[in-house]
Amino acid sequence: MSFLEEYINKKVIVLTNDGKTIVGDFIAFDQTSNIALSKAIERVYSESKPVKEIELGVYITRGNNVCMVGLLNQDVDESLNFEETRATPIKVILD
Amino acid sequence: MIFYQLFKKLVGKVITVELKNDLIITGLLEKVDQYINLQFANIKIFEPENHPQFASTESCFIRGKSIRYVFLPENTIDNELIQESTKEYHEKRKQN
């Protein structure tokens, strides 16, 4: 769990077990991977519509709901075209 | 314990994991912990056209609980060594 120290204060994307992708500044975590983000934005992808960004402010998620935490490459992220991006929703992890 | 040791040997190697949400990720394994949470560098998502969500993600932490399968290249692990470790581990458990 000392892994996530490297990501602190950086922009990350959190993938939750219910298939949500939340982007934000990584503020805090603990051994059970409870996660706190600030300036969090949920990116909602759709098969037919452009990406929708919902601002959440400070976002805290319980560790047992976390699937993956990815470090974002800010340059690449800024160049992404959300207008044209379409995607199938990510599956929910049930157990 | 056995699998934690096994994964420690895989650090520095390129492995592929399939998650329970069907995402398949290949990357260089950097760190493991006792829960088999994994940290990867230089990740590639399988079929990235279907998952543009991670187009800007290069390294990631994956929670062990969300992993379904781990795919290793052939000859990555020493089968005999693993078999012996397994026997020792279970013998110790019987004794305790």
Side-chain angles (χ1 to χ4, degrees), chain A residues 70-90:
Chain A
L71 188 64
L72 286 187
N73 178 329
Q74 309 237 85
D75 299 326
V76 177
D77 196 56
E78 268 157 40
S79 68
L80 291 177
N81 182 345
F82 290 142
E83 269 295 311
E84 295 174 358
T85 313
R86 301 287 184 275
T88 44
I90 296 181

Side-chain angles (χ1 to χ4, degrees), chain A residues 1-20:
Chain A
M1 267 316 300
S2 58
F3 316 169
L4 291 175
E5 280 169 5
E6 301 171 1
Y7 295 178
I8 283 275
N9 291 331
K10 303 203 172 142
K11 205 164 180 208
V12 295
I13 181 166
V14 175
L15 172 61
T16 58
N17 283 350
D18 51 359
K20 293 198 166 95

Side-chain angles (χ1 to χ4, degrees), chain A residues 39-54:
Chain A
K39 299 186 200 145
I41 299 174
E42 181 184 345
R43 290 185 180 160
V44 184
Y45 292 78
S46 150
E47 281 177 307
S48 52
K49 291 177 268 184
V51 178
K52 191 173 177 196
E53 288 195 311
I54 305 172

Side-chain angles (χ1 to χ4, degrees), chain B residues 18 29 66 77 90:
Chain B
E18 176 173 324
L29 184 61
S66 56
I77 51 178
H90 288 285

Side-chain angles (χ1 to χ4, degrees), chain A residues 1-4 6-7 13 15 17 21 32-33 43 45 63-64 66-73 76-77 80 85-88 90-91 93 95, chain B residues 19-23 25 30-33 35 37-40 43 45 49-66:
Chain A
M1 267 316 300
S2 58
F3 316 169
L4 291 175
E6 301 171 1
Y7 295 178
I13 181 166
L15 172 61
N17 283 350
T21 44
T32 55
S33 55
R43 290 185 180 160
Y45 292 78
N64 65 357
V66 172
C67 171
M68 186 184 104
V69 179
L71 188 64
L72 286 187
N73 178 329
V76 177
D77 196 56
L80 291 177
T85 313
R86 301 287 184 275
T88 44
I90 296 181
K91 288 191 188 165
I93 298 180
D95 58 355
Chain B
L19 304 186
K20 289 179 181 171
N21 52 19
D22 295 353
L23 261 185
I25 299 174
E30 287 194 313
K31 291 192 198 146
V32 202
D33 72 5
Y35 305 111
N37 294 330
L38 306 177
Q39 173 130 329
F40 284 99
I43 62 166
I45 311 269
E49 327 79 51
N50 297 345
H51 306 290
Q53 295 91 336
F54 307 108
S56 44
T57 307
E58 291 171 345
S59 54
C60 69
F61 159 82
I62 298 182
R63 207 145 186 281
K65 192 157 185 292
S66 56

